[in-house]
Amino acid sequence: MSPGRARPRRRRVPRVPRRPAWTATLTWKAAVFITLMCCALAALLGALVHVSVTRQTVDASREKALARLEDVTRAYEAGEPLPPFAGVDPVGLPPSLRDLATRGSRGTVVAEHEGRPMMWAAGPADGRSLAVRVDYSLSARTISGLDQAILGSSVLAIGATLLVGWFAVTGVTRRLHLTARVARRISAGDLDARVNDPRTKDPSRPQDEVATVSGALDTMASTLQGKLLSEQRFTADVAHELRTPLTGLSAAAELLPPGRPSELVQDRVRALRALTEDLLEISRLDAGRERVDLDVYALGPLVERVVPASGGRARLRIVRDARVETDKRRLERVLGNLLANAYKHGAPPVELTVDGPVVTVRDHGEGYPAYLLEHGPQRFRTESGSKGHGLGLTIARGQAAVIGAELVFANAPDGGAEARLTLPEYVDLTGEEDDETPA
């Protein structure tokens, strides 16, 4: 660092703590809203009752004190002795009331006297103040008891309202959660899932907003299921119907005289037959009729068998072998499709790596297109100028789901497409390992 230049200090941005997830729930929001409304209503009603009762109590005590002051004033003017609760400039008389009386006016005030609340009333008497006091303890206790009763009844009312509101809101949120679970099941492929809200089945019952949403979801699922089933039946029927003419076309192509035209026809027939078989396999995967034959295998030898079958152009590297529970035929189909896609759309070298239960297929081409990384492989969609029908990766993903494996598509940081297949690893809980691996 050159002299005189200070390294710029990085300004630390304070992290704002995130609220807990449960604070975003409808139940919590409804509870807070109900509590705030109840507290506001209780405070308003309590204040109104407190002010009204306090005013009445103070007015009654004030009238009583002023009435005593009238009697004491007549006694003072007649020269009669004053009662114990009255006096001229008595001890404890509030200064503000004393000043008011010496100026020739009458008034009342509540103040403490010898530890007890008193209602004082004072008036002028020969340039001094003549005052009486009335015990205000009972009135003060009445107001204090009223305040406690208002507070207690408010707490009980808020608790009861929260309890009733909790049951009401929980009923609504429970139905919303059920609708959300059904929607997630439908998105996961369970097209038979339905909410079946009883309010939507009986037209005579009034429907609320949740019932309307549930009914719309069930209707959407039924419509979607019908369209998908029609599409699956169409795909399967087309593939089956193509088999018969393809068999005849293949036999006719074999009868053509040797030459370039014959080779072109036979090549297109083979491509059309492969497409037909792929369509049949996709229709079976869509229908969910696939049955797996699971067994425990050493993953390394299985992968070694796939490389020669795919053309032998991939470089195999086994970092760590593992025992997995899988369907050998379907696993070979998945890896074969991934390698074929790397050969066709990628660039050499194509690398096949085994690291425990994870198998990675990577090429050094341009990588997967953006739509595939975002939405996954889509049938009959490939990059412009590419050969193929976009079915290989679709089949690989479907077969991986059948054997319980996770297939993730990504692009390597230094370039190239990378498909990572994670298989369920076999764990021997008995502590005994088989010496023989199924072939």
Side-chain angles (χ1 to χ4, degrees):
M1 181 181 299
S2 59
R5 294 184 59 187
R7 178 179 297 178
R9 300 182 62 182
R10 299 181 63 180
R11 184 178 180 182
R12 297 184 61 184
V13 179
R15 297 182 60 183
V16 180
R18 297 182 59 183
R19 294 188 305 170
W22 57 267
T23 58
T25 60
L26 182 60
T27 303
W28 185 84
K29 292 180 179 178
V32 172
F33 176 76
I34 292 174
T35 303
L36 292 177
M37 292 301 297
C38 288
C39 290
L41 183 59
L44 178 61
L45 293 178
L48 291 176
V49 173
H50 173 82
V51 170
S52 177
V53 173
T54 301
R55 181 180 298 170
Q56 294 177 5
T57 304
V58 171
D59 289 345
S61 298
R62 180 181 292 114
E63 291 176 0
K64 184 178 180 180
L66 291 174
R68 286 189 175 182
L69 181 61
E70 290 285 346
D71 297 338
V72 170
T73 301
R74 285 194 294 268
Y76 175 78
E77 293 175 349
E80 298 177 0
L82 300 180
F85 54 82
V88 177
D89 293 334
V91 179
L93 181 64
S96 59
L97 188 57
R98 186 191 305 273
D99 295 340
L100 181 66
T102 55
R103 291 197 300 266
S105 301
R106 288 186 175 187
T108 58
V109 70
V110 177
E112 292 284 336
H113 178 66
E114 297 179 354
R116 301 178 63 181
M118 293 291 177
M119 172 65 75
W120 291 90
D126 299 330
R128 294 185 296 174
S129 59
L130 177 63
V132 296
R133 62 178 182 270
V134 177
D135 191 0
Y136 194 73
S137 301
L138 180 60
S139 300
R141 286 195 299 269
T142 301
I143 296 175
S144 177
L146 176 65
D147 291 341
Q148 293 179 0
I150 292 175
L151 180 61
S153 59
S154 299
V155 172
L156 290 178
I158 292 173
T161 306
L162 276 177
L163 186 62
V164 175
W166 183 83
F167 279 108
V169 174
T170 302
V172 174
T173 55
R174 187 182 300 113
R175 294 166 58 197
L176 289 175
H177 285 310
L178 174 61
T179 304
R181 285 198 300 269
V182 172
R184 284 192 289 267
R185 288 173 56 189
I186 294 173
S187 64
D190 184 7
L191 298 181
D192 294 325
R194 297 292 185 274
V195 180
N196 292 326
D197 195 312
R199 294 170 179 80
T200 60
K201 296 182 178 180
D202 188 1
S204 62
R205 299 182 61 180
Q207 295 189 14
D208 56 7
E209 288 78 2
V210 180
T212 303
V213 173
S214 302
L217 179 63
D218 288 347
T219 303
M220 181 200 69
S222 300
T223 304
L224 179 63
Q225 185 179 32
K227 290 183 178 180
L228 290 179
L229 289 177
S230 298
E231 180 184 346
Q232 292 171 9
R233 284 194 297 268
F234 175 77
T235 304
D237 293 343
V238 168
H240 279 293
E241 292 298 327
L242 284 176
R243 272 185 161 182
T244 300
L246 274 177
T247 302
L249 186 61
S250 177
E254 296 291 338
L255 298 178
L256 292 176
R260 183 60 179 169
S262 174
E263 294 176 359
L264 291 176
V265 171
Q266 292 179 9
D267 179 69
R268 292 299 88 195
V269 169
R270 284 193 295 269
L272 189 56
R273 174 171 294 186
L275 174 60
T276 303
E277 296 299 328
D278 288 345
L279 288 175
L280 284 173
E281 186 171 358
I282 285 180
S283 66
R284 290 193 298 268
L285 290 172
D286 289 341
R289 295 194 299 265
E290 296 289 343
R291 296 292 180 268
V292 295
D293 182 18
L294 296 178
D295 211 333
V296 180
Y297 300 92
L299 185 57
L302 283 183
V303 177
E304 289 177 354
R305 294 176 52 180
V306 175
V307 176
S310 66
R313 289 180 288 170
R315 297 191 306 194
L316 176 62
R317 185 168 65 98
I318 300 179
V319 179
R320 179 175 65 89
D321 201 356
R323 293 167 61 82
V324 296
E325 187 174 11
T326 187
D327 186 322
K328 179 179 66 172
R329 180 180 65 84
R330 298 183 189 278
L331 175 60
E332 292 175 351
R333 175 69 162 156
V334 173
L335 295 179
N337 282 14
L338 294 177
L339 288 173
N341 182 81
Y343 296 151
K344 183 180 296 184
H345 302 288
V350 177
E351 300 174 350
L352 186 61
T353 305
V354 178
D355 189 358
V358 180
V359 182
T360 304
V361 178
R362 184 199 168 177
D363 62 63
H364 290 75
E366 297 180 356
Y368 291 118
Y371 80 86
L372 190 146
L373 297 177
E374 184 176 359
H375 303 290
Q378 301 176 21
R379 62 191 69 175
F380 298 108
R381 178 174 180 180
T382 58
E383 287 292 272
S384 59
S386 299
K387 297 181 179 179
H389 305 281
L391 300 180
L393 295 183
T394 304
I395 293 174
R397 184 180 62 175
Q399 294 289 8
V402 170
I403 62 178
E406 180 185 11
L407 181 57
V408 178
F409 300 98
N411 288 332
D414 54 346
E418 184 178 85
R420 185 168 61 255
L421 180 68
T422 304
L423 297 160
E425 187 171 7
Y426 175 74
V427 179
D428 188 4
L429 300 178
T430 63
E432 300 176 359
E433 294 186 359
D434 299 332
D435 295 333
E436 298 182 357
T437 301

